[in-house]
Every structure is written in C-alpha cells, then in structure tokens.
Amino acid sequence: MSEAGDKLRLDKWLWFARFFKTRSLSAARVAAGDVRVNAERVTKRATTIQPGDVLTFAIGRDVRIIEVVAIGTRRGPAPEAQTLYNDMSPEPAPRETPVPENPRFEGKGRPTKRVRRQGDLSRARHLE
C-alpha cells in the first residue's frame, strides 16, 4: 500500500469499526477529548491513526482498549469491522443487582392491600 493508504482519520476509523453508530457521534467523542491514542489525549477529529496504534475510550460503563490492526476502506458488516482491531480490554466487573427497599415487595406485581396498609402505618409512626 502507499503511504497515504496506511493512515486514516480517527473519527472515520471509529465509525468504520462500528464503535459508534454515526460518524458525527464518533467525531463528537473525539472532539470532547474522550479518546486517547497511544496514551495521549486527542481532541482533533482529523488525527491520523495507523496499524499498531492503541486507542483507549469509554463506552457506557466499560473502558475499551483497542489495537488498530488494519485500516478499513468502508463501513461494512460487523464481521468485517471486527477484523480491523484487536480488543485488549479487561473483562468487565460483574454488575451487582439492586436490593429491593421493601423485602416483602420484590417488584413482582402490585402490593396487596395488607402490605400497602403496613407500609402506610410504618410511615405514619415515623412522622409522629
């Protein structure tokens, strides 16, 4: 490949690799400074990347660490996009399930009339 073909804009590559649904979303995340290239924070959308670069960014609660393997030519299907990078992200921590406030009512349907009255009485005692 030629020298010009070995590099691609960061926002365009993130969109090619299907990390963001639209190119404007990927450009906004780069402009906000949420993406690091080789451990350096970048804010320019037109930052060029090449194979071997390591990208670090957050998606939701998870931090993604991605090594660029290839530069794509189009935004193809997901299996094609997965060949563009090597995912080096750590395994996400297991999510804890929230504990219900009322142990009798576990969020399964409506509370019975008896349970509702007991809740009302206990609140009334705390207000006195």
Side-chain angles (χ1 to χ4, degrees):
M1 285 184 127
S2 65
E3 184 66 30
D6 290 346
K7 296 183 180 183
L8 188 66
R9 288 176 57 118
L10 177 59
D11 62 337
K12 197 170 185 179
W13 187 88
L14 288 170
W15 178 62
F16 278 177
R18 294 185 166 264
F19 287 109
F20 297 101
K21 193 171 184 177
T22 63
R23 187 169 170 193
S24 60
L25 283 176
S26 66
R29 292 292 297 270
V30 173
D34 296 339
V35 180
R36 294 178 182 264
V37 177
N38 297 328
E40 292 183 21
R41 186 174 172 220
V42 294
T43 56
K44 293 177 68 176
R45 299 172 182 111
T47 302
T48 57
I49 60 168
Q50 58 190 359
D53 286 345
V54 176
L55 308 177
T56 307
F57 55 94
I59 294 183
R61 295 182 180 180
D62 302 327
V63 174
R64 302 294 300 264
I65 302 170
I66 305 297
E67 179 186 7
V68 178
V69 174
I71 300 296
T73 57
R74 67 184 186 122
R75 185 173 200 259
E80 181 181 320
Q82 290 170 352
T83 63
L84 299 178
Y85 61 89
N86 180 17
D87 193 357
M88 302 183 317
S89 303
E91 290 294 321
R95 314 263 172 161
E96 294 183 19
T97 57
V99 178
E101 293 178 18
N102 185 350
R104 289 182 177 221
F105 178 66
E106 299 176 357
K108 298 177 182 172
R110 295 178 60 180
T112 63
K113 192 175 211 179
R114 180 175 175 233
V115 171
R116 197 171 60 246
R117 282 186 187 149
Q118 288 174 347
D120 291 342
L121 288 175
S122 66
R123 278 187 234 121
R125 288 183 192 137
H126 292 292
L127 295 175
E128 294 175 350

